[in-house]
Amino acid sequence: MLKSKTFVKKTRSGGIMKIVREHYLRDDIWCGSEVCTECKQEESVLQKDACIESNLCSFPHYLLPDTNVVLSQIDILEDPLIKNVIILQTVLQEVRHRSAPIYKRLKDILHDKEKHVYTFTNEHHRETYIEREQGESANDRNDRAIRISTKWYSDHLNNKGLKVVLLTNDRGNKEKAEEAGLLTYRCEEYVKSLIANPELVDRLALTNDDKNEITSSKVLFSEHLPLSRIQSGIKSGTFQQGTFRASRDNYLEATVFVHGEGDDSTEVLIQGLQNLNRAVHQDLVAVEILPLNQWVAPSSVVLQDEGPKEDDVTEEEEAELKSGPSGVASRKPTGRVVGIIKRNWRPFCGMLFLSQIKEATRHLFTPADRRIPRIRIETRQAATLAGQRIMVAIDGWPKHSRYPNGHFVRSLGSAGDKETETEVLLLEHDVPHQDFSQAVLSFLPKMPWNITEEDMAVREDLRNLTVCSVDPPGCTDIDDALHCRDLPNGNQEVGVHIADVSHFIRPGNAMDLEAANRGTTVYLTGRRIDMVPELLSSNLCSLRSSVERLAFSCIWEINDKAEIVQTRFTKSVINSKASLTYAEAQMRIDDANMNDDTTKSLRGLNRLAKILKKRRIEKGALTLSSPEVRFHIDSETHDPIDLQTKELKETNSMVEEFMLLANISVAQKIYDEFSECALLRKHPAPPPSNYDILNKAAKSKDLVIHTDSAKALADSLDAAQVDGFPYFNTLLRILATRCMMQAVYFCSGMDSDFHHYGLASPIYTHFTSPIRRYSDIIVHRLLAVAIGADSTYPDLMDKHKQSALCNNLNYRHKMAQYAQRASVAFHTQLFFKSRGILNEEGFILFVRKNAIIVLIPKFGLEGTVFFENKDKPSPKLIFNEEAPSLTVEGHSFNMFDKVKVTISLDASNVQHQKIRMSLVEPVISGVSVAPSEPEAKRAKLDR
């Protein structure tokens, strides 16, 4: 049967166009049930014995949830107990339009065969499709469609001993369903009736009635404005919209990043609980800028929400904020949140803070991320969950409540357990880490795999070249290899050979989509989360020695002055002669007795790399510093047994120089060929205000740092030396690293500023690591099309899709860095747990109003020494923001001062275990120090 709709539409040119939409209806769409003999179905999804023990439904039954139940109770639907569910096409389409994250979770449920969830295409079934009636809203029409489909299923399966239960929380929909004789319950009502799993009640999201029940009558926050008011306010300029970013260090402070035209953006400071107005980290909010006389400076106080409070804001809390710098120059645009445009809530990891009231069911959940407020939940299994890492979702935040309300999602395991803590940091940093699906694995090549004659026919045979790889110890995903040989004309040929991952991952298939979503391989301490399946990452794509591998080669002819005479790109086949570590390659270069072809190649590469680096630095490339650590892990317990800062050798620099050169050469090539859709990488110049702290640090030592260009900064850093203080220059470079902006991927057709500030290069991309970065796979595809080695496809040439891809890659890359730092912090805690108390020398990196932040060079570790103690009177503190310096009982602490501290692990708070630092030297009478927390804020210049 064919239904059609006809309507007219006005075109851009002002003409009228008639549009006819056809809608096909069928009578052969299956019901999906095993018990059905009428539907001629090839396979069934819904089981014959669909029995869940329930006080309400003691008979076999299928569940049919409406849209709002799916949207609000997805955690219930994901539970293994809930099986044999019918998802209507109407519901699926509504969920898709209203929430992309829940739609993805619903699709995962549909693909899980153990769940027996069936999609019924009611919108194309002749007996369940309905037209929208005159005057009927789209929502009412969809509710009616759901009731019609429930009725059809009930009649269809009635004589087969099975019933269909409609789950809806909509009072009107429930009443109409009951009038039609349908079996219907509220979701909460049904879940509470289940006998097999009473704990499932804890996973129920709160309804509006529940939210009102657990809040006080006192209004703490102003009402959020409706979206219509917000939109008109933004249009008129009364309000600004931006991303809400809560402070890690002060729970009463946040910043809203208001995005302007191009790279122009404004930061609006929000201070105080009422002005924060129930916004949660990463929400999209509307802010009202306060009058100039109400602008304030960011607080210098480190302030954390230490425990549950009544539903009120204390005067002491607000007073803490008002003690920040008062100078007019320090003040920033300040505002208040007037409404929420889009919530960015997700399930949060953390621990339960048990109520002191006996038999209480309402407790406070403390998130692992300090930027997220505590969440009030209701649970009957608090005793079981004590000491566990759990996940909780926020349901809402009423204006009468100090904290948001939420519900329990699932338990992750015991707090402090290595696997549990790793799971927490992966979830908290949104790192996709599930096993690769069968759909993804189905696109792997069949083993045994060999290079075919067809492959050889379209590739350059470079197997005779003395190619070798140089990597960190234990590296199995070898992306790159190099060669260097003399040419008859006196020049040298240098090749960078990169794993040809794009040969194995073809555009648009399941493996490609998964890699695009993951974006990057994530390296944790002792664990690697691969972007592509291991068969590719550690075997077929890895350029291991003594095996033939497919590569994408960038080959230069270079003269003695390291000037490029000629560049060419080719798909190739190589056979690496050696897989070396940096240390092994360095020993070969340094050992005068070794003169084999591989060693000669390494020496040639090293000589040219030194010239290339010198020239780069002369052009203004920055050499910055970031304290990175390496753990030595026990092979049996997998616990860290030693902790050292990483030592870099000449060979590290050698490999880096040629990777940079290849990336620049490829960037120019793909931009020349595809000026609108080249995937490039840029590093924006920092705004002058970013250098304030660097200038203050230099000024304290009577030095001047010029920051008007990268070249000026590089020269200033080279010249910044203090007699008798050799580590000063390293500290200054660490500080300069913190001033940098993040390097980002972008599409050339969507931007005009290509410059890479840190590398002093006009153009740059990532080509050299396709095993672990999806950006490089796209660049390989672009380069392959540019040299005629592969064909293009629509998405590759679509600058808008490329730009959207870049946004995901930037997000995944940032989250991977944060996850890596969190892993280092956790293993640092394990290390100090086994080592006990240590005394070490360090340097003050930053000075705060009530604390100093100390770097321990030996361990590359940062920690905070607080000059306050809640149990004793605080010492006299005088903070000078301009210096900056902190005077404690007459002793002045300045940036880069040397101190001696005691380092130990403070495990008094299981969730937020901390590295405790307390001052040993200088000795200050009357000073007692509180526990500290390592700061994993190493925003290094990313190349």
Side-chain angles (χ1 to χ4, degrees):
M1 183 184 289
L2 176 66
K3 293 266 184 182
S4 63
K5 278 184 184 176
T6 306
F7 57 95
V8 292
K9 181 182 177 184
K10 193 173 183 180
T11 64
R12 284 184 180 178
S13 59
I16 300 295
M17 182 166 61
K18 184 179 177 182
I19 294 177
V20 178
R21 282 202 179 144
E22 296 178 337
H23 189 92
Y24 290 90
L25 300 179
R26 305 170 62 116
D27 54 12
D28 59 350
I29 293 172
W30 312 328
C31 69
S33 174
E34 273 183 351
V35 300
C36 181
T37 53
E38 295 171 35
C39 296
K40 296 174 182 178
Q41 44 202 11
E42 293 173 9
E43 61 175 349
S44 52
V45 176
L46 302 165
Q47 294 172 297
K48 191 184 300 182
D49 52 343
C51 291
I52 301 179
E53 288 187 87
S54 162
N55 293 328
L56 290 174
C57 307
S58 57
F59 39 80
H61 59 278
Y62 299 148
L63 298 175
L64 196 154
D66 72 1
T67 306
N68 286 324
V69 167
V70 173
L71 287 167
S72 63
Q73 306 292 353
I74 189 72
D75 292 322
I76 296 290
L77 295 176
E78 285 177 330
D79 192 278
L81 181 73
I82 304 299
K83 296 181 179 179
N84 295 295
V85 181
I86 300 162
I87 300 294
L88 298 179
Q89 180 187 1
T90 305
V91 171
L92 195 63
Q93 288 172 344
E94 273 199 286
V95 170
R96 183 180 183 181
H97 290 140
R98 288 172 62 179
S99 174
I102 291 177
Y103 177 72
K104 185 182 183 304
R105 290 169 72 180
L106 184 58
K107 292 290 281 184
D108 289 341
I109 294 172
L110 289 166
H111 290 141
D112 184 353
K113 292 186 177 178
E114 298 292 316
K115 293 280 290 174
H116 299 281
V117 180
Y118 180 65
T119 307
F120 180 63
T121 49
N122 63 302
E123 296 290 354
H124 289 279
H125 195 292
R126 187 164 53 87
E127 295 179 41
T128 58
Y129 172 76
I130 59 167
E131 297 273 4
R132 184 171 163 185
E133 294 175 352
Q134 192 166 2
E136 186 177 40
S137 70
N139 187 58
D140 287 345
R141 181 265 170 203
N142 288 342
D143 283 349
R144 188 161 60 88
I146 291 167
R147 294 195 298 273
I148 292 289
S149 295
T150 308
K151 180 81 168 69
W152 180 85
Y153 257 108
S154 298
D155 294 343
H156 187 70
L157 300 174
N158 189 38
N159 60 352
K160 300 177 178 66
L162 267 162
K163 295 192 176 181
V164 176
V165 176
L166 172 63
L167 296 181
T168 178
N169 291 331
D170 184 302
R171 192 172 296 167
N173 195 23
K174 186 172 186 290
E175 287 172 0
K176 287 176 182 174
E178 287 170 341
E179 287 170 11
L182 302 177
L183 186 59
T184 179
Y185 296 108
R186 287 188 302 115
C187 186
E188 180 186 7
E189 195 179 4
Y190 177 79
V191 169
K192 285 182 175 177
S193 79
L194 298 179
I195 301 164
N197 190 357
E199 291 83 15
L200 194 58
V201 173
D202 289 349
R203 300 187 72 178
L204 277 167
L206 295 178
T207 62
N208 286 330
D209 293 340
D210 296 326
K211 291 172 191 173
N212 294 332
E213 184 190 322
I214 66 171
T215 59
S216 69
S217 58
K218 183 175 180 181
V219 176
L220 295 177
F221 301 99
S222 56
E223 194 82 60
H224 286 149
L225 297 179
L227 208 52
S228 56
R229 282 272 310 277
I230 290 172
Q231 286 168 340
S232 60
I234 290 170
K235 197 172 182 180
S236 67
T238 309
F239 305 140
Q240 307 284 327
Q241 78 169 36
T243 306
F244 182 90
R245 296 185 185 170
S247 167
R248 286 182 191 274
D249 298 325
N250 192 326
Y251 73 99
L252 294 177
E253 189 169 271
T255 308
V256 173
F257 283 76
V258 178
H259 304 290
E261 293 294 322
D263 291 334
D264 185 35
S265 62
T266 309
E267 293 184 14
V268 179
L269 185 67
I270 315 288
Q271 279 192 352
L273 218 55
Q274 274 95 358
N275 288 338
L276 296 172
N277 198 8
R278 297 171 287 156
V280 176
H281 184 62
Q282 294 293 2
D283 283 351
L284 187 63
V285 300
V287 292
E288 179 183 43
I289 308 294
L290 297 174
L292 193 61
N293 62 355
Q294 294 182 40
W295 287 15
V296 295
S299 175
S300 312
V301 176
V302 179
L303 189 64
Q304 289 162 357
D305 189 358
E306 294 296 348
K309 297 179 176 68
E310 298 302 315
D311 282 331
D312 206 348
V313 186
T314 65
E315 291 179 9
E316 288 84 356
E317 288 177 303
E318 298 293 357
E320 289 275 14
L321 285 171
K322 292 171 185 172
S323 57
S326 56
V328 175
S330 306
R331 294 179 184 175
K332 306 244 182 207
T334 307
R336 66 184 186 97
V337 174
V338 295
I340 308 295
I341 298 168
K342 184 184 177 187
R343 289 290 193 188
N344 200 25
W345 294 344
R346 58 176 174 82
F348 300 104
C349 302
M351 294 182 72
L352 212 56
F353 192 103
L354 298 188
S355 170
Q356 301 302 306
I357 303 168
K358 199 176 179 184
E359 306 297 325
T361 58
R362 287 176 190 153
H363 306 271
L364 275 180
F365 164 83
T366 304
D369 188 342
R370 289 192 183 277
R371 295 170 298 185
I372 307 301
R374 284 181 163 82
I375 303 165
R376 214 182 244 123
I377 71 164
E378 191 157 332
T379 176
R380 290 154 191 79
Q381 47 178 331
T384 309
L385 298 177
Q388 298 272 309
R389 288 282 202 173
I390 64 172
M391 289 185 79
V392 161
I394 298 178
D395 299 323
W397 195 340
K399 62 184 176 182
H400 306 88
S401 176
R402 167 69 188 256
Y403 300 110
N405 301 321
H407 66 274
F408 168 75
V409 175
R410 66 185 173 103
S411 176
L412 299 170
S414 298
D417 175 76
K418 217 177 311 179
E419 289 200 6
T420 302
E421 296 302 329
T422 301
E423 177 75 4
V424 167
L425 75 86
L426 289 171
L427 288 167
E428 280 297 290
H429 295 98
D430 195 16
V431 175
H433 59 285
Q434 67 280 8
D435 291 339
F436 289 102
S437 68
Q438 282 305 313
V440 170
L441 298 176
S442 68
F443 286 97
L444 288 171
K446 301 292 180 284
M447 298 299 286
W449 174 84
N450 290 299
I451 296 172
T452 65
E453 288 183 13
E454 289 82 359
D455 291 329
M456 294 301 300
V458 293
R459 290 174 180 269
E460 196 168 333
D461 187 350
L462 304 179
R463 290 174 293 180
N464 63 312
L465 294 180
T466 307
V467 173
C468 69
S469 61
V470 185
D471 291 283
C475 179
T476 59
D477 53 343
I478 303 172
D479 285 288
D480 54 89
L482 301 131
H483 88 270
C484 178
R485 63 174 178 174
D486 294 332
L487 294 174
N489 64 1
N491 290 339
Q492 287 183 301
E493 179 187 87
V494 173
V496 166
H497 311 277
I498 306 300
D500 190 3
V501 182
S502 62
H503 171 85
F504 296 95
I505 301 180
R506 303 307 296 165
N509 69 25
M511 187 153 57
D512 182 48
L513 296 176
E514 180 67 24
N517 177 46
R518 293 189 178 212
T520 180
T521 293
V522 181
Y523 294 90
L524 306 180
T525 304
R527 183 178 173 187
R528 188 179 81 205
I529 315 293
D530 281 328
M531 182 184 79
V532 299
E534 191 176 17
L535 179 64
L536 296 184
S537 65
S538 295
N539 187 350
L540 302 185
C541 290
S542 184
L543 305 183
R544 301 184 300 184
S545 57
S546 306
V547 288
E548 294 179 359
R549 288 290 179 257
L550 303 180
F552 209 151
S553 300
C554 174
I555 300 171
W556 304 277
E557 181 182 340
I558 298 181
N559 64 23
D560 262 0
K561 295 176 183 176
E563 295 166 333
I564 297 171
V565 177
Q566 184 184 326
T567 307
R568 66 188 181 91
F569 307 98
T570 181
K571 292 267 187 152
S572 62
V573 180
I574 65 166
N575 188 322
S576 174
K577 303 302 183 282
S579 299
L580 305 172
T581 65
Y582 291 116
E584 287 168 348
Q586 193 66 53
M587 284 193 299
R588 279 175 174 261
I589 291 169
D590 296 341
D591 188 346
N593 296 319
M594 294 193 74
N595 284 297
D596 57 279
D597 288 344
T598 299
T599 304
K600 286 178 182 175
S601 177
L602 287 169
R603 286 186 186 132
L605 290 166
N606 197 40
R607 184 186 70 80
L608 291 169
K610 287 177 181 177
I611 303 171
L612 289 170
K613 184 174 184 177
K614 184 172 180 288
R615 188 180 301 143
R616 253 192 338 106
I617 290 170
E618 285 170 354
K619 285 182 180 176
L622 297 174
T623 306
L624 299 179
S625 184
S626 180
E628 293 187 59
V629 297
R630 179 181 298 285
F631 291 95
H632 293 276
I633 304 290
D634 186 285
S635 58
E636 291 183 12
T637 66
H638 301 290
D639 287 337
I641 53 177
D642 198 8
L643 174 62
Q644 297 173 340
T645 50
K646 291 182 181 177
E647 181 190 350
L648 298 180
K649 301 183 181 295
E650 267 187 12
T651 44
N652 290 79
S653 179
M654 175 190 79
V655 173
E656 182 184 25
E657 285 307 315
F658 285 107
M659 296 305 113
L660 294 176
L661 191 62
N663 287 335
I664 292 168
S665 297
V666 171
Q668 194 61 59
K669 178 67 176 177
I670 62 173
Y671 177 65
D672 288 345
E673 294 288 335
F674 308 109
S675 61
E676 286 293 296
C677 58
L679 192 153
L680 303 175
R681 188 164 177 81
K682 69 173 180 175
H683 181 226
S689 59
N690 277 31
Y691 289 120
D692 287 351
I693 192 70
L694 183 67
N695 289 326
K696 286 177 182 178
K699 189 178 177 183
S700 69
K701 302 294 182 186
D702 297 323
L703 296 169
V704 177
I705 299 292
H706 298 286
T707 58
D708 42 317
S709 70
K711 170 70 173 161
L713 175 61
D715 291 344
S716 296
L717 290 172
D718 287 343
Q721 304 291 337
V722 173
D723 292 339
F725 191 177
Y727 199 66
F728 171 79
N729 191 263
T730 302
L731 287 169
L732 208 60
R733 289 179 192 274
I734 289 171
L735 209 56
T737 305
R738 313 290 170 95
C739 302
M740 294 297 120
M741 304 289 283
Q742 186 81 10
V744 291
Y745 297 109
F746 68 100
C747 176
S748 59
M750 304 290 282
D751 209 324
S752 57
D753 177 19
F754 295 6
H755 191 73
H756 197 294
Y757 180 80
L759 297 173
S761 177
I763 195 166
Y764 192 66
T765 194
H766 273 164
F767 163 76
T768 54
S769 295
I771 294 176
R772 60 184 180 89
R773 290 189 306 233
Y774 188 76
S775 54
D776 303 50
I777 292 178
I778 294 295
V779 170
H780 276 227
R781 289 174 182 168
L782 287 164
L783 184 61
V785 176
I787 65 170
D790 206 344
S791 54
T792 187
Y793 57 99
D795 284 6
L796 193 66
M797 299 293 134
D798 187 326
K799 66 179 181 181
H800 297 286
K801 289 189 176 177
Q802 286 280 46
S803 187
L805 173 65
C806 288
N807 290 338
N808 181 61
L809 296 180
N810 291 329
Y811 170 72
R812 292 296 189 202
H813 188 75
K814 181 173 66 177
M815 289 296 106
Q817 284 186 319
Y818 291 163
Q820 187 175 336
R821 292 169 198 167
S823 179
V824 168
F826 174 64
H827 280 79
T828 301
Q829 291 170 9
L830 290 180
F831 172 73
F832 282 104
K833 185 177 181 180
S834 63
R835 292 294 292 268
I837 298 172
L838 297 175
N839 285 353
E840 293 293 341
E841 286 188 343
F843 297 94
I844 298 174
L845 262 189
F846 300 102
V847 178
R848 298 286 184 254
K849 191 175 186 306
N850 59 341
I852 54 173
I853 295 162
V854 178
L855 170 70
I856 311 296
K858 181 177 178 182
F859 299 128
L861 174 71
E862 281 176 47
T864 310
V865 177
F866 288 91
F867 293 106
E868 59 183 15
N869 195 315
K870 291 180 180 173
D871 303 322
K872 298 177 184 177
S874 293
K876 185 179 179 184
L877 307 177
I878 301 171
F879 179 61
N880 179 350
E881 189 204 1
E882 291 304 312
S885 68
L886 177 63
T887 304
V888 184
E889 295 293 339
H891 183 93
S892 182
F893 290 94
N894 300 286
M895 290 176 69
F896 300 172
D897 282 359
K898 184 184 275 192
V899 292
K900 194 169 189 179
V901 295
T902 293
I903 311 170
S904 61
L905 180 69
D906 175 13
S908 57
N909 181 330
V910 181
Q911 160 136 291
H912 292 126
Q913 293 193 23
K914 314 165 190 178
I915 298 298
R916 179 190 179 102
M917 281 193 189
S918 53
L919 203 60
V920 176
E921 292 177 10
V923 177
I924 302 172
S925 61
V927 169
S928 54
V929 285
S932 68
E933 176 179 29
E935 285 196 348
K937 295 176 181 174
R938 302 192 177 116
K940 59 183 168 182
L941 171 61
D942 177 24
R943 293 182 175 176

